[in-house]
Amino acid sequence: MNINTRIIYHGQSDAVKNAIEILRRDMKTVFNASDKDSGELLLVEKDMPEERFEIKDGSIYAGDELGFVYGLLHISEVSLGIPPFWFWYDYEPKHMSETEIVDYVSIPAKIRFRGWFLNDEILLTHWAPNGDALLPWKMAFEAILRCGGNMVIPDTQVMPEHSELAASYGLWLTHHHAEPLGADMFVKAYPDLAPSYQKYSEKFKKLWADGIERQKSYKVVWDLGFRGQGDTPFWDSDKDSEYDTDEKRGKLISDIIRLQYDMIHEKVKEPVCCTYLYGEMMELYRKGCLSLPEDIIKIFADNGYGKMVSRRIGMDNPRTVALPEKNDGMYGIYYHVSYCDLQSCSHITQTGVSLDFITNELENAFEKGADDYLIVNCSNIRPHVFMLAAISCIWKGEKFDAAEFAKTYFGDEKAAAAYLDYAGEAVSFGEHEDEKAGDHFYNFSVRAFASDIMKGRDHSIHMKWVTGNIPIEEQLKWFKEKCDEGEANYDGFLKSHDLTLGNLYDSTIMLQGRLHYHGYKGGALFARACMELLDKDYVKAFYLTGLAAEEFEAANRLLRASEYGVWNGFYSNDCFADFKFTAYMLRRLMFYIRNFGEGPGFWTWPRELFYDEQDKGVRLQMNIDNRDTDEALFEKLKQLKK
């Protein structure tokens, strides 16, 4: 095989044609120019199980489009040396004049339906590498296929162009658990109406019918269900409904699922259907309040932190086991390597639970019978490549080799140690092994404390979920101890794994360690500032708040400094963890503190701190210079401290 090898395909599949173009692109990238004829790569139809392929004597044999797609991508990886995450991890292949196409017979994947959910994709939506807003999705869909996946939820809200693109890659589509049938949400279609099924059942049915019509020509795992207008129960959106008991609620959801099931069967031959036992659905299912068709895939979900138990909602954390009780049907898993709970999760940083923990949770779920479906919440992909690579091996039934991963992408096995050690530094916010704090923890907590303090509350209502209803002084003490621990942990992590391995290493796992270091250091300084504020030492509180703001500003600069080449602008819409806004809020808090300390005149601190001793007591004039801005006053305090 060389640059001149011709790829011959007589079929009509857009997915196969797209995979051929990917292989041709890779050939142009890898091969040197040559005058040598290198024959043909033939794609030959053969009676084979779905998604399987065989490579023999320079031909690919398969019985369906994904079989051919996987065969073409196998040649790209094995013969041309293009690994699954080549785009997301800056892989530069070696150039060559020619290579061999090695005979190979594929083996079936361990999980029937397997893929990613591009959820909370706030970075991807504002990033258009090379001016192409669709390129992130093209690269995501290609990576799923290279990882042996066959399914995707393309985005958080229904975007028909993303669904159409995913289908053109040969992927099965499925849906967000809050958007059954991939239909538009009621409040999006009818913004002036209350989202009440009791009042507007025909409008709901019309939305579902439209969703079916739009996607019926695609391969779809149809999600059935009925939730509120967001990641909430329907009764939160329809507060006037008569459905005020578990039994009534369960019956309505069951009736709607049966209705949706019948609607699909009228339009689609032998459809594949599923439903998510997530949040309130899990509770209703366990209580026996749901009646579901026997041939749909029932999907259990982890709690956002990798443990197969029900998720925490506010103060309620029952941790109900989220696994089949008996293997009597089709079951699957919705699993998070990225999560956004506006409290303590990991979104732009790798999850704080270990690879061994995730492997054990998934393998245990498979043993319990939840092996028909696996959708992995991957959000913006790049921060989570290591875990996505590992899970792709798991769903294929292969063993993941961290050292080989490091050698492939960093050229050095030593990089694996940072990825494997990373989880050991995570701060525990609870008593359970999965309750590991991520980038939301210090950002959200600082903003929550600051907001509640400026509102004059004697405890932070937004921190009760983790501290309980205790005085704010005790809440701050708890938070400071966690931040001190995190600062020390990640300082040690950075020192232990300080390797010269280039931009990729510095902009992935080491970036994440540095974000945590600055976030926890900033959180500890902020907690100290609040304690001084409560003790009415306003100068110290002002100064420490400024130092805390600098730490979050430093973290934001690190994000932006990691945006080299194609990654320019990647972190511009970090609006969840939002280090930049945490810093902004702290800068505003500085004036709040200063007002207590020297308002309304705003002249006493400069006199006390910066005037010569012989001038401090002279008050013929209250101030003799323009008042400083908060920033200027803080800089003077920094110089004074030196």
Side-chain angles (χ1 to χ4, degrees), residues 152-333:
V152 69
I153 305 177
D155 33 41
T156 301
Q157 296 189 48
V158 175
M159 300 285 285
E161 63 269 31
H162 293 162
S163 297
E164 182 179 359
L165 182 64
S168 75
Y169 276 70
L171 291 165
W172 287 75
L173 300 178
T174 190
H175 311 120
H176 191 304
H177 48 83
E179 295 173 325
L181 305 178
D184 282 333
M185 300 192 80
F186 187 92
V187 292
K188 182 178 179 180
Y190 305 104
D192 297 328
L193 299 180
S196 170
Y197 187 78
Q198 193 171 343
K199 295 178 181 178
Y200 305 114
S201 61
E202 292 306 312
K203 294 186 183 300
F204 275 100
K205 293 174 187 176
K206 176 66 165 55
L207 290 174
W208 299 332
D210 290 346
I212 295 170
E213 190 67 25
R214 186 174 62 247
Q215 301 166 91
K216 67 181 183 180
S217 63
Y218 303 152
K219 297 184 298 187
V220 180
V221 181
W222 299 92
D223 169 39
L224 315 181
F226 186 59
R227 304 197 70 208
Q229 301 302 293
D231 198 359
T232 60
F234 78 82
W235 52 88
D236 283 355
S237 302
D238 184 9
K239 297 186 182 296
D240 297 328
S241 77
E242 64 184 24
Y243 303 100
D244 54 0
T245 68
D246 288 339
E247 289 74 19
K248 292 178 181 178
R249 292 165 175 173
K251 185 177 188 308
L252 177 64
I253 293 172
S254 299
D255 289 345
I256 288 174
I257 287 176
R258 174 56 69 175
L259 170 66
Q260 294 169 345
Y261 180 87
D262 292 340
M263 290 173 69
I264 295 167
H265 278 75
E266 289 177 5
K267 296 289 186 178
V268 179
K269 183 180 179 181
E270 297 180 353
V272 180
C273 299
C274 69
T275 192
Y276 288 85
L277 303 177
Y278 190 64
E280 72 283 358
M281 289 283 287
M282 179 66 182
E283 298 302 313
L284 293 172
Y285 177 75
R286 288 296 188 214
K287 291 176 181 178
C289 297
L290 292 179
S291 176
L292 304 173
E294 291 184 0
D295 61 341
I296 69 173
I297 305 169
K298 295 178 281 293
I299 302 167
F300 294 88
D302 74 303
N303 62 347
Y305 294 85
K307 185 69 176 176
M308 294 303 299
V309 296
S310 59
R311 67 174 184 154
R312 181 183 64 250
I313 302 177
M315 297 284 287
D316 186 30
N317 190 21
R319 294 180 67 86
T320 305
V321 174
L323 288 170
E325 293 181 331
K326 54 184 178 180
N327 193 356
D328 59 349
M330 293 188 293
Y331 298 97
I333 308 168

Side-chain angles (χ1 to χ4, degrees), residues 531-586:
M531 292 172 182
E532 297 293 352
L533 173 60
L534 295 174
D535 286 341
K536 300 183 179 180
D537 191 332
Y538 300 116
V539 173
K540 282 186 179 178
F542 176 89
Y543 177 65
L544 289 168
T545 301
L547 293 179
E550 288 189 326
E551 294 301 322
F552 287 96
E553 288 163 349
N556 184 57
R557 286 195 300 272
L558 286 169
L559 284 173
R560 305 319 301 268
S562 72
E563 298 176 321
Y564 56 86
V566 74
W567 302 104
N568 284 331
F570 184 69
Y571 289 106
S572 64
N573 196 47
D574 164 36
C575 61
F576 284 178
D578 213 345
F579 288 88
K580 59 188 179 300
F581 190 81
T582 304
Y584 172 84
M585 192 170 182
L586 289 173

Side-chain angles (χ1 to χ4, degrees), residues 11 369 463 517:
M463 295 299 293
Y517 170 75

Side-chain angles (χ1 to χ4, degrees), residues 32-44:
N32 302 318
S34 174
D35 295 328
K36 182 179 178 181
D37 183 22
S38 190
E40 299 172 339
L41 171 61
L42 302 177
L43 276 61
V44 182

Side-chain angles (χ1 to χ4, degrees), residues 7-17 20 24 41-45 65 68 72:
I7 305 172
I8 307 300
Y9 172 60
H10 297 297
Q12 299 301 314
S13 166
D14 289 338
V16 178
K17 293 176 182 178
I20 290 171
R24 284 177 174 151
L41 171 61
L42 302 177
L43 276 61
V44 182
E45 289 192 13
E65 65 177 9
F68 284 122
L72 289 159

Side-chain angles (χ1 to χ4, degrees), residues 212-506:
I212 295 170
E213 190 67 25
R214 186 174 62 247
Q215 301 166 91
K216 67 181 183 180
S217 63
Y218 303 152
K219 297 184 298 187
V220 180
V221 181
W222 299 92
D223 169 39
L224 315 181
F226 186 59
R227 304 197 70 208
Q229 301 302 293
D231 198 359
T232 60
F234 78 82
W235 52 88
D236 283 355
S237 302
D238 184 9
K239 297 186 182 296
D240 297 328
S241 77
E242 64 184 24
Y243 303 100
D244 54 0
T245 68
D246 288 339
E247 289 74 19
K248 292 178 181 178
R249 292 165 175 173
K251 185 177 188 308
L252 177 64
I253 293 172
S254 299
D255 289 345
I256 288 174
I257 287 176
R258 174 56 69 175
L259 170 66
Q260 294 169 345
Y261 180 87
D262 292 340
M263 290 173 69
I264 295 167
H265 278 75
E266 289 177 5
K267 296 289 186 178
V268 179
K269 183 180 179 181
E270 297 180 353
V272 180
C273 299
C274 69
T275 192
Y276 288 85
L277 303 177
Y278 190 64
E280 72 283 358
M281 289 283 287
M282 179 66 182
E283 298 302 313
L284 293 172
Y285 177 75
R286 288 296 188 214
K287 291 176 181 178
C289 297
L290 292 179
S291 176
L292 304 173
E294 291 184 0
D295 61 341
I296 69 173
I297 305 169
K298 295 178 281 293
I299 302 167
F300 294 88
D302 74 303
N303 62 347
Y305 294 85
K307 185 69 176 176
M308 294 303 299
V309 296
S310 59
R311 67 174 184 154
R312 181 183 64 250
I313 302 177
M315 297 284 287
D316 186 30
N317 190 21
R319 294 180 67 86
T320 305
V321 174
L323 288 170
E325 293 181 331
K326 54 184 178 180
N327 193 356
D328 59 349
M330 293 188 293
Y331 298 97
I333 308 168
Y334 170 34
Y335 200 77
H336 295 79
V337 297
S338 176
Y339 188 50
C340 181
D341 64 356
L342 304 179
Q343 291 177 327
S344 58
C345 59
S346 297
H347 180 249
I348 59 170
T349 56
Q350 186 171 293
T351 177
V353 296
S354 70
L355 175 59
D356 285 345
F357 179 90
I358 287 175
T359 301
N360 291 337
E361 284 297 300
L362 291 176
E363 293 293 354
N364 180 56
F366 300 155
E367 289 176 7
K368 298 287 186 180
D371 59 357
D372 293 293
Y373 178 110
L374 172 58
I375 197 80
V376 181
N377 190 320
C378 67
S379 67
N380 301 282
I381 303 175
R382 182 167 163 90
H384 311 288
V385 162
F386 181 74
M387 289 304 181
L388 292 173
I391 290 175
S392 73
C393 287
I394 294 170
W395 74 32
K396 289 186 290 187
E398 300 173 357
K399 183 175 177 58
F400 177 66
D401 187 333
E404 188 61 31
F405 171 90
K407 187 176 179 181
T408 296
Y409 293 104
F410 300 101
D412 194 325
E413 293 182 0
K414 292 194 289 294
Y419 282 90
L420 296 173
D421 292 347
Y422 173 89
E425 312 301 343
V427 173
S428 296
F429 62 81
E431 62 183 21
H432 300 285
E433 60 180 332
D434 54 287
E435 294 180 326
K436 301 295 186 181
D439 47 77
H440 275 45
F441 179 70
Y442 37 77
N443 278 292
F444 174 82
S445 298
V446 165
R447 297 196 295 259
F449 275 122
S451 176
D452 287 330
I453 284 172
M454 287 191 278
K455 290 174 181 174
R457 292 179 174 138
D458 60 4
H459 71 280
S460 175
I461 61 173
H462 299 101
M463 295 299 293
K464 288 195 300 182
W465 70 272
V466 67
T467 65
N469 191 14
I470 58 177
I472 198 166
E473 293 87 351
E474 294 300 311
Q475 290 179 307
L476 286 164
K477 180 181 177 182
W478 178 89
F479 180 60
K480 181 179 179 300
E481 289 174 354
K482 294 298 179 183
C483 288
D484 286 339
E485 178 187 350
E487 179 185 351
N489 286 0
Y490 290 102
D491 182 47
F493 173 82
L494 294 170
K495 290 174 180 175
S496 297
H497 300 288
D498 184 14
L499 303 173
T500 306
L501 292 177
N503 275 342
L504 179 64
Y505 187 68
D506 290 338

